[in-house]
C-alpha cells in the first residue's frame, strides 16, 4: 500500500487548533486581553459590536511589536514568552502556547496596528483566514491594537452555533470581569455597540470588585489573608447572608490567572458549612499565589484548569483561612434558617400590635355529657345545633375570628353532603374558625369532606403573584412612599436591565426619582416590601432574568411577578396569627388558580374523612 499519511497545511492545522482555543467571541476576548496584560499595558480598551460576532477590538498601551514580530506573531507556536521546556515551569505570563493569534486569524478577518517605544513608526497588517493580505507602515501610538472581524466567517456551522447576542455578551462580560479582577492596577474600558459598559480606573483589588459589581458589594466583603510557605492567600469572601443561588460571584485566581477548580471551590463551601443554606453558594474573590513550579497550567488549551502539586494541603489551608476570616469578622456563627429575618412580620399584619391570646375555660363543658344526635349523621360527636357546650373549647379563638361570627354557622364533617364532588367544595369550604398553623409551615383548615393542609409559603406566593400580575396588566400601581430617597448602587449592565423593565417595575409600585449609570434613587416601593429588602429583591430580579427563567420564554412581566411573589411571600418558619391565617386562606381561594404556586408546585394536600377513617381501621 502506498504511503497515505501527510502533514496538514498550516492553515488547516490552525483551523483545527482554533476549534480548541476559540469556542465563541468570549474566547477571543480572553486571549486578546491576556496578550495586552502580558505586554505590560497600563490601560486596555475593549470594543465589541454585536456581542463580538462582528467586531472584537482590543487596544493596549503595552510594549508593542517590531515589524518582524508583528508578522511572526500570527505563526503557529510563535511566542515571545517561553524559550524552552524548562520555562514552562516558571511561567509568569498568561500566554505561552503561541497559538492564540494564529488560531484567531484562521477563522476571522484580523487587522493589527502596533508600535514599540523605540520605533519611529509602527506596522499595520491584515490577515484573513490565515491568508496574509498586506503589511504597511503606519503612524500609531506605542502599543497594540488588534481587531477581529466576522468571527467564524469561514466555518458556518460554528457561526450558526453561536447563541443570541444577549448570551454571547454575557460570556464576553464574564471574561472581561475575570481579567479585570485579576489586574486591578490596569485601567479597563469596555464599549459595546458604541456605548460604554464599564470604565474601571486603576485601583486596589477591593475597589475593582466594587467597581465591577456595584457599590453595594462593599458591605458584603470580608477580607481574607494568609501567608504560608506553600501559598499566599488573599482576597475577599462574601458574608454568608449574601450567599446566592447562582454561581456568579465565584472567582479563583492562581498567580493572577482565573482558574476553575471544583476541588478548591469545595474547600470554600466547606468553610461556610452551617452558615449558609445548602442550595446557596458563597461568593468569593480569592487570589492564590504559589510557586509557578508547583503547578501545571498546560493541561487545557484555554488554560482555565490547572494541576497543583499538593492539592490536599491547599484545600486544608484554604478552608481554615476562610473559617478564620469568617470568625475574625464576627460573622454570625449560628443562623436560624427556620426564621427568615427579613420576613418575620406575619402576613397582612405588619403594623398591628401584638395581642395576647385570651384563654378562657368553660367550666360547664363536659365532653361526656350525652346529647341527642339531631343531625342524623352516623358519627356526629358534636351536633351543630347544640354548639353551646363545646363553644368553650374555642373561646380563645373566638375573639380572633370576630365577635359577630355565628359559631353555629360552622359546618362540621358530619354535615358533609355525601357524594358531592370534592373539588367543588374547596372554594366554598367553611374554614371559618378552624384554621391553625402546624410547624410554622402549614395552615390546616377543614372543608366539608375533610382537611386541607396548605403550604403557607406557596399559598402566599400564589396570592401575591396574581396580585402583581393584575397590577401590571391593569397598570394600577399602589406605592409606598419612602421618607427619604433610597440610593442603591448597581453595576452598569444591571442598571441597563432595570431601565429596560422600568415600566413594569413602576406598575408594581416602584417609583424611581433618578437613574444614573450606576445608581438608582428610589422614592416609592411596592406596599408589601420593606425598605431593607429592596436591594435583595432587585438583585434577585436581575439574576432570575439572567438565569433560570430565561430559557422558558416567560414574559418580562411574568418574571417580575414571579420574582416579587417569591421574594415577598411569607416564608416557612414564620408564625401566623389566626387572623393572618384566615386572610391567607381566603385570599388563596379567591385566586384564579389556587391549586398550584406560580412555580407549579402543589399548594395544598387534602385528607378526606375517608382517608382518616381508614387510618383508624
Ligand atoms: P502567546 O500569548 O501564547 O505567546 P499569542 O498567539 O497570543 O501567543 O501571541 C503570540 C505573540 O505575539 C506573543 O508571544 C507576543 O510576543 C505577541 N503579542 C501578541 N499580542 C501582543 C500585544 N498585545 N502586545 C505585544 N505583543 C503581543
Ligand atoms: Mg496569548
Amino acid at each position: 500500500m502506498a504511503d497515505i499519511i501527510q502533514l496538514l497545511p498550516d492553515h488547516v492545522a490552525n483551523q483545527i487548533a482554533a476549534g480548541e482555543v476559540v469556542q465563541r467571541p468570549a474566547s477571543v476576548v480572553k486571549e486578546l486581553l491576556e496578550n495586552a496584560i502580558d505586554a505590560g499595558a497600563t490601560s486596555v480598551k475593549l470594543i465589541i459590536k454585536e456581542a463580538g460576532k462582528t467586531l472584537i477590538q482590543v487596544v493596549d498601551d503595552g510594549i508593542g511589536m517590531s515589524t518582524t514580530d508583528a508578522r511572526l506573531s500570527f505563526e503557529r507556536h510563535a511566542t515571545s514568552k517561553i524559550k524552552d521546556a524548562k520555562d514552562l515551569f516558571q511561567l509568569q505570563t498568561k500566554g505561552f502556547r503561541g497559538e492564540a493569534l494564529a488560531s484567531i486569524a484562521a477563522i476571522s478577518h484580523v487587522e493589527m496596528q502596533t508600535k514599540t517605544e523605540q520605533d519611529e513608526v509602527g506596522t499595520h497588517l491584515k490577515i484573513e483566514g490565515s491568508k496574509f493580505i498586506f503589511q504597511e507602515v503606519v503612524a500609531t501610538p506605542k502599543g497594540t491594537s488588534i481587531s477581529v472581524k466576522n468571527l467564524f466567517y469561514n466555518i458556518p456551522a460554528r457561526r450558526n452555533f453561536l447563541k443570541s447576542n444577549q448570551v454571547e455578551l454575557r460570556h464576553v462580560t464574564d471574561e472581561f470581569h475575570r481579567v479585570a479582577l485579576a489586574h486591578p492596577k490596569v485601567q479597563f474600558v469596555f464599549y459595546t455597540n458604541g456605548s460604554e459598559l464599564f470604565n474601571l480606573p486603576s485601583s486596589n483589588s477591593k475597589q475593582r470588585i466594587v467597581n465591577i459589581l456595584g457599590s453595594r458589594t462593599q458591605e458584603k466583603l470580608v477580607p481574607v489573608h494568609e501567608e504560608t510557605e506553600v501559598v499566599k492567600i488573599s482576597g475577599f469572601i462574601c458574608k454568608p447572608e449574601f450567599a446566592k443561588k447562582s454561581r456568579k460571584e465565584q472567582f479563583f485566581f492562581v498567580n493572577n490567572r482565573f482558574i476553575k477548580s471544583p476541588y478548591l471551590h469545595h474547600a470554600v463551601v466547606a468553610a461556610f458549612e452551617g452558615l449558609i443554606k445548602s442550595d446557596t453558594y458563597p461568593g468569593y474573590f480569592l487570589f492564590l499565589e504559589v510557586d509557578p513550579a508547583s503547578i501545571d497550567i498546560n493541561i487545557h488549551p484555554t488554560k482555565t484548569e490547572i494541576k497543583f502539586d499538593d492539592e490536599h494541603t491547599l484545600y486544608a489551608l484554604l478552608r481554615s483561612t476562610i473559617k478564620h476570616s469568617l470568625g475574625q469578622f464576627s460573622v454570625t456563627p449560628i443562623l436560624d434558617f427556620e426564621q427568615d429575618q427579613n420576613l418575620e412580620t406575619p402576613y397582612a399584619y405588619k403594623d398591628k400590635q401584638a395581642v395576647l391570646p385570651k384563654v378562657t375555660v368553660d367550666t360547664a363543658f363536659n365532653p361526656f355529657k350525652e346529647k341527642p344526635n339531631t343531625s342524623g349523621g352516623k358519627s356526629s360527636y358534636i351536633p351543630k345545633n347544640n354548639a353551646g357546650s363545646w363553644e368553650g373549647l374555642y373561646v380563645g379563638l373566638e375573639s380572633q375570628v370576630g365577635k359577630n361570627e355565628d359559631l353555629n354557622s360552622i359546618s362540621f364533617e358530619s354535615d358533609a353532603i355525601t357524594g358531592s364532588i370534592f373539588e367543588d367544595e374547596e372554594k366554598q369550604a367553611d374554614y371559618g374558625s378552624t384554621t391553625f398553623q402546624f410547624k410554622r409551615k402549614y395552615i390546616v383548615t377543614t372543608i366539608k369532606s375533610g382537611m386541607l393542609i396548605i403550604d403557607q409559603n406557596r399559598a402566599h406566593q400564589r396570592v401575591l403573584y396574581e396580585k402583581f400580575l393584575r397590577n401590571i396588566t391593569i397598570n394600577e400601581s399602589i406605592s409606598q412612599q419612602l421618607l427619604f430617597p433610597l440610593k442603591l448602587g448597581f453595576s452598569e449592565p444591571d442598571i441597563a436591565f432595570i431601565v429596560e423593565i422600568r415600566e413594569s417595575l413602576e406598575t408594581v409600585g416602584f417609583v424611581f426619582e433618578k437613574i444614573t449609570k450606576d445608581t438608582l434613587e428610589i422614592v416609592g416601593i411596592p406596599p408589601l416590601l420593606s425598605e431593607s429588602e429592596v436591594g435583595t429583591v432587585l438583585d434577585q430580579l436581575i439574576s432570575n432574568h439572567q438565569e433560570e427563567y430565561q430559557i422558558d420564554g416567560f414574559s418580562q412581566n411574568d418574571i417580575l411577578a414571579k420574582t416579587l411573589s417569591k421574594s415577598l411571600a411569607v416564608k416557612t418558619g414564620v408564625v401566623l396569627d389566626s387572623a393572618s391565617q384566615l386572610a391567607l386562606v381566603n385570599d388563596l381561594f379567591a385566586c384564579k388558580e389556587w391549586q398550584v404556586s406560580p412555580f407549579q408546585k402543589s399548594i395544598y394536600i387534602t385528607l378526606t374523612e375517608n382517608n382518616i377513617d381508614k387510618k383508624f381501621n
Side-chain angles (χ1 to χ4, degrees):
M1 191 174 129
D3 299 335
I4 51 171
I5 296 179
Q6 50 180 317
L7 283 175
L8 287 173
D10 264 357
H11 68 276
V12 180
N14 285 339
Q15 250 198 39
I16 293 170
E20 288 188 318
V21 182
V22 185
Q23 274 99 41
R24 51 178 13 123
S27 335
V28 175
V29 168
K30 171 182 190 286
E31 295 297 335
L32 297 185
L33 290 178
E34 290 188 346
N35 279 348
I37 298 293
D38 283 346
T42 61
S43 169
V44 178
K45 213 183 280 172
L46 168 65
I47 301 155
I48 63 167
K49 285 205 176 117
E50 287 188 65
K53 290 174 186 171
T54 46
L55 171 75
I56 300 164
Q57 184 176 11
V58 170
V59 185
D60 69 55
D61 63 353
I63 57 169
M65 282 174 263
S66 69
T67 309
T68 331
D69 281 353
R71 179 72 189 83
L72 254 182
S73 67
F74 289 97
E75 294 299 321
R76 231 149 85 80
H77 305 308
T79 181
S80 57
K81 299 169 193 174
I82 58 171
K83 291 197 170 56
D84 54 42
K86 75 172 190 315
D87 293 341
L88 275 175
F89 305 103
Q90 290 305 327
L91 284 170
Q92 305 289 347
T93 52
K94 302 268 166 299
F96 58 87
R97 299 169 68 110
E99 283 182 317
L101 290 187
S103 303
I104 293 166
I107 50 167
S108 66
H109 298 159
V110 177
E111 269 186 75
M112 176 198 272
Q113 296 202 10
T114 184
K115 189 182 94 68
T116 64
E117 179 96 72
Q118 306 80 17
D119 289 331
E120 290 283 302
V121 286
T123 303
H124 178 195
L125 63 80
K126 191 167 180 173
I127 295 181
E128 294 184 343
S130 294
K131 206 162 125 241
F132 175 75
I133 307 290
F134 68 74
Q135 179 161 9
E136 59 189 23
V137 171
V138 72
T140 180
K142 173 202 159 212
T144 305
S145 161
I146 299 184
S147 71
V148 175
K149 289 184 183 156
N150 311 321
L151 188 67
F152 298 132
Y153 80 98
N154 51 355
I155 319 178
R158 268 304 183 83
R159 198 170 168 89
N160 296 336
F161 191 67
L162 292 178
K163 298 274 179 354
S164 69
N165 285 359
Q166 201 188 7
V167 173
E168 293 300 339
L169 177 62
R170 209 177 328 129
H171 286 290
V172 170
T173 311
D174 283 347
E175 290 298 350
F176 175 79
H177 284 170
R178 291 165 183 178
V179 178
L181 283 170
H183 301 278
K185 288 277 170 283
V186 179
Q187 183 205 4
F188 285 93
V189 191
F190 178 3
Y191 296 92
T192 167
N193 297 334
S195 60
E196 190 184 279
L197 195 56
F198 285 97
N199 189 338
L200 309 170
S202 168
S203 62
N204 63 24
S205 178
K206 182 169 186 181
Q207 200 51 47
R208 178 55 54 91
I209 296 172
V210 170
N211 285 341
I212 289 180
L213 296 167
S215 55
R216 271 173 323 113
T217 316
Q218 190 114 20
E219 51 165 327
K220 298 185 190 174
L221 302 177
V222 175
V224 174
H225 194 82
E226 179 64 88
E227 245 171 282
T228 71
E229 282 190 357
V230 194
V231 61
K232 183 176 162 223
I233 303 171
S234 63
F236 300 88
I237 47 175
C238 293
K239 292 176 188 162
E241 63 262 39
F242 297 104
K244 287 189 175 176
K245 289 230 159 117
S246 83
R247 287 168 172 262
K248 247 177 43 177
E249 288 167 13
Q250 299 171 338
F251 297 89
F252 270 122
F253 301 92
V254 173
N255 296 354
N256 280 342
R257 181 192 300 278
F258 171 83
I259 60 136
K260 291 177 184 155
S261 169
Y263 185 68
L264 294 185
H265 168 78
H266 192 271
V268 180
V269 174
F272 274 85
E273 203 180 280
L275 295 176
I276 55 173
K277 289 187 202 173
S278 59
D279 60 343
T280 61
Y281 305 98
Y284 54 83
F285 308 84
L286 293 168
F287 298 85
L288 312 186
E289 269 172 58
V290 296
D291 178 0
S294 74
I295 49 174
D296 181 4
I297 311 163
N298 206 8
I299 52 173
H300 196 268
T302 59
K303 299 163 290 195
T304 47
E305 283 163 40
I306 67 176
K307 228 173 92 208
F308 298 94
D309 276 357
D310 192 356
E311 255 188 347
H312 294 307
T313 313
L314 220 50
Y315 184 102
L317 280 172
L318 194 58
R319 203 182 100 155
S320 66
T321 304
I322 290 171
K323 277 200 154 175
H324 182 71
S325 290
L326 285 168
Q328 204 173 24
F329 288 83
S330 61
V331 174
T332 35
I334 308 138
L335 286 182
D336 182 3
F337 294 126
E338 290 283 279
Q339 301 269 3
D340 186 327
Q341 259 102 21
N342 290 326
L343 288 151
E344 289 272 357
T345 323
Y347 171 80
Y349 269 69
K350 273 202 154 162
D351 304 316
K352 223 187 145 174
Q353 283 294 314
V355 184
L356 279 179
K358 193 175 84 191
V359 180
T360 321
V361 179
D362 177 9
T363 43
F365 175 63
N366 176 1
F368 302 105
K369 206 153 117 195
E370 272 296 327
K371 290 277 173 188
N373 186 344
T374 48
S375 74
K378 50 181 159 54
S379 64
S380 65
Y381 166 57
I382 304 160
K384 184 175 166 186
N385 45 7
N386 280 312
S389 58
W390 55 267
E391 247 176 58
L393 266 184
Y394 292 91
V395 280
L397 279 174
E398 190 193 359
S399 60
Q400 286 149 332
V401 172
K403 287 263 184 275
N404 301 325
E405 182 106 26
D406 179 9
L407 282 169
N408 283 334
S409 72
I410 298 161
S411 324
F412 283 85
E413 51 182 64
S414 52
D415 298 323
I417 309 138
T418 42
S420 74
I421 303 153
F422 184 73
E423 292 296 313
D424 288 338
E425 284 180 305
E426 285 164 9
K427 280 195 111 168
Q428 17 155 315
D430 220 340
Y431 23 77
S433 64
T434 47
T435 60
F436 73 89
Q437 199 184 16
F438 179 61
K439 295 274 179 195
R440 292 190 288 177
K441 207 193 280 185
Y442 302 107
I443 296 169
V444 182
T445 186
T446 52
I447 50 166
K448 291 192 174 172
S449 57
M451 262 162 75
L452 285 187
I453 302 171
I454 301 169
D455 182 309
Q456 65 186 45
N457 173 248
R458 292 179 186 177
H460 199 200
Q461 278 182 12
R462 165 56 63 184
V463 170
L464 291 178
Y465 171 70
E466 293 200 3
K467 182 167 156 266
F468 284 126
L469 264 193
R470 211 160 41 234
N471 285 354
I472 295 170
T473 339
I474 61 174
N475 208 343
E476 184 186 273
S477 60
I478 309 163
S479 180
Q480 189 189 153
Q481 287 308 109
L482 297 178
L483 221 45
F484 302 103
L486 177 65
K487 265 196 187 160
L488 294 176
F490 285 92
S491 69
E492 289 178 33
D494 289 352
I495 292 278
F497 168 67
I498 286 170
V499 169
E500 206 180 292
I501 61 162
R502 178 175 182 165
E503 258 180 49
S504 311
L505 286 170
E506 285 170 347
T507 58
V508 296
F510 282 98
V511 182
F512 299 98
E513 174 109 314
K514 210 163 95 201
I515 302 184
T516 70
K517 70 183 181 30
D518 56 3
T519 43
L520 292 180
E521 236 180 270
I522 301 171
V523 289
I525 58 178
L528 282 169
L529 197 61
S530 79
E531 204 172 325
S532 59
E533 294 162 352
V534 176
T536 323
V537 166
L538 290 175
D539 275 344
Q540 272 165 0
L541 198 60
I542 292 161
S543 64
N544 286 347
H545 161 76
Q546 287 170 339
E547 281 146 34
E548 36 193 320
Y549 310 128
Q550 209 185 18
I551 356 132
D552 297 319
F554 288 120
S555 77
Q556 202 54 258
N557 289 344
D558 199 64
I559 295 176
L560 178 62
K562 279 198 171 97
T563 307
L564 286 172
S565 66
K566 192 170 177 179
S567 322
L568 298 180
V570 68
K571 298 285 185 295
T572 290
V574 175
V575 180
L576 297 180
D577 63 24
S578 42
S580 303
Q581 294 167 26
L582 194 61
L584 179 54
V585 176
N586 280 324
D587 286 354
L588 173 66
F589 289 112
C591 283
K592 275 201 212 123
E593 279 186 55
W594 67 90
Q595 291 97 334
V596 288
S597 80
F599 303 90
Q600 302 305 315
K601 300 245 171 71
S602 303
I603 291 177
Y604 58 81
I605 54 160
T606 47
L607 268 183
T608 62
E609 184 183 358
N610 240 340
N611 296 149
I612 300 169
D613 285 347
K614 272 192 197 135
K615 298 259 175 219
F616 285 101
N617 277 339

